[in-house]
């Protein structure tokens, strides 16, 4: 059975002090909610800014929450000013890292080839990549959604270690931060396409074991409907993850 994964992407929000205040309020509420008693089937992850990782990692120690990185470089060390080393993420005991988020692709020029190198580098140090894929509005309106997301998936997995785990996040670019959510049919279809592609690119076992999360304007008011889709195994949440109570409500969403 795949775990249900509720992941926060804080993007470039929260200082170390704000991170401390968030977890001080959030962690006791999460434990009290009872979700933590079933950690095998409900994973709660936070992708925090790199400058907050060290502090966040200390704060969540001993809880049922994991902290991950939003970005990583593919070389371990060297003259790469401003980049995050996968080896250092591993030393910080960071179990997950995002790769290929649409903001990295659109604003920082991250290419399919680079996502492949990042996935390989993360696997090499034992970190699970969460590979993000998603079409723009133009691509959707041009009938190219499936082609784009399968291409991004295939490229991102090209150099992976097939013995290691991955997580996939489907984030339609037009739904990110816009308040527009993919309809259950749109999201359900994209997730089914990705699940099938995982089987073709890897194996039936890979398709079965890999959580595929939906991201794009997920909020407590729409999360239950999204979670009802067969191939949706959780959420990757931006805006609604910044507030303790809204993110807690998302963690409590029932998976039908
Ligand atoms: P929003 O939830 O703010 O739309 O952001 C989604 C996202 O980009 C998560 O990675």
């Amino acid at each position: 059975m795949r775990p249900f994964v509720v992941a926060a992407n804080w993007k470039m929000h929260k200082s170390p002090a704000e991170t401390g205040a968030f977890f001080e309020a959030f962690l006791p509420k999460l434990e009290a909610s009872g979700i933590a008693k079933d950690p095998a089937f409900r994973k709660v992850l936070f992708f925090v800014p790199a400058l907050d990782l060290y502090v966040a990692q200390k704060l969540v120690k001993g809880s049922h929450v994991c902290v991950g990185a939003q970005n990583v470089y593919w070389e371990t060390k060297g003259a790469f000013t401003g980049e995050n080393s996968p080896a250092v993420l591993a030393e910080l005991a960071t179990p997950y890292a995002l790769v290929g988020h649409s903001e990295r692709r659109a604003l920082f020029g991250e290419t399919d080839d680079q996502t492949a190198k990042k996935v390989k580098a993360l696997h090499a140090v034992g970190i699970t990549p969460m590979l993000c894929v998603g079409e723009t509005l133009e691509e959707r309106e041009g009938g190219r959604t499936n082609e784009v997301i399968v291409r991004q998936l295939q490229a991102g997995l090209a150099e992976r270690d097939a013995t290691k785990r991955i997580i996939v996040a489907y984030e339609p670019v037009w739904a990110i931060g816009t308040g527009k959510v993919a309809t259950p049919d749109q999201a359900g279809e994209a997730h089914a396409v990705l699940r099938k592609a995982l089987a073709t690119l890897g194996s039936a076992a890979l398709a079965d074991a890999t959580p595929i999360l939906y991201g794009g304007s997920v909020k407590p008011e729409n999360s239950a409907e999204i979670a009802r889709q067969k191939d949706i195994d959780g959420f990757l949440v931006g805006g609604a993850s910044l507030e303790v109570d809204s993110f807690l409500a998302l963690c409590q969403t029932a998976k039908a």
Side-chain angles (χ1 to χ4, degrees), residues 7-252:
N9 176 7
W10 279 355
K11 308 192 179 184
M12 200 175 73
H13 293 286
K14 296 200 190 292
S15 67
E18 290 166 335
T19 300
F22 183 98
F23 284 121
E24 260 172 41
F26 179 80
L27 292 175
K29 286 189 178 188
L30 184 75
E31 300 298 319
S33 74
I35 293 171
K37 297 211 178 74
D38 190 13
F41 297 109
R42 190 143 304 220
K43 285 193 188 300
V44 179
L45 318 180
F46 286 85
F47 293 98
V48 302
L51 294 173
D52 296 335
L53 256 178
Y54 184 71
V55 160
Q57 199 59 276
K58 287 192 162 182
L59 291 163
V60 304
K61 210 165 180 191
S63 77
H64 293 89
V65 165
C66 291
V67 167
Q70 295 175 9
N71 187 32
V72 66
Y73 197 59
W74 53 83
E75 298 286 351
T76 303
K77 62 165 92 163
F80 306 107
T81 303
E83 290 294 337
N84 299 332
S85 162
V88 175
L89 293 184
E91 187 180 311
L92 288 173
T94 312
Y96 300 92
L98 291 179
V99 174
H101 188 279
S102 70
E103 286 150 20
R104 299 288 326 161
R105 294 179 192 259
L107 303 175
F108 303 102
E110 192 160 315
T111 63
D112 281 344
D113 284 352
Q114 291 175 350
T115 65
K117 289 184 191 173
K118 291 180 178 197
V119 167
K120 181 180 178 185
L122 289 168
H123 273 166
V125 295
I127 296 176
T128 299
M130 183 182 289
L131 177 66
C132 304
V133 302
E135 81 288 0
T136 62
L137 187 59
E138 194 186 357
E139 288 162 343
R140 172 162 285 273
E141 288 177 350
R144 296 176 49 218
T145 297
N146 296 352
E147 168 205 325
V148 169
I149 62 178
V150 170
R151 187 204 76 223
Q152 290 173 338
L153 183 74
Q154 179 167 17
L157 299 188
E159 298 182 49
R160 81 187 197 282
D161 178 340
T163 66
K164 305 260 170 81
R165 289 186 310 147
I166 53 157
I167 299 178
V168 175
Y170 169 62
E171 298 205 303
V173 177
W174 47 271
I176 293 178
T178 59
K180 284 187 202 157
V181 191
T183 65
D185 282 354
Q186 286 171 326
E189 186 192 337
H191 280 241
V193 164
L194 290 168
R195 182 91 55 212
K196 205 166 144 216
L198 284 171
T200 312
L201 299 169
S203 62
L206 179 73
D208 194 45
T210 301
I212 307 178
L213 316 190
Y214 171 81
S217 297
V218 176
K219 303 204 165 23
E221 306 84 66
N222 58 27
S223 61
E225 191 182 20
I226 296 168
R228 261 199 292 280
Q229 293 295 313
K230 175 164 99 34
D231 282 305
I232 294 186
D233 307 311
F235 316 119
L236 180 56
V237 187
S241 72
L242 298 172
E243 297 296 328
V244 167
D245 289 334
S246 61
F247 192 63
L248 188 72
L250 292 175
C251 294
Q252 290 172 300

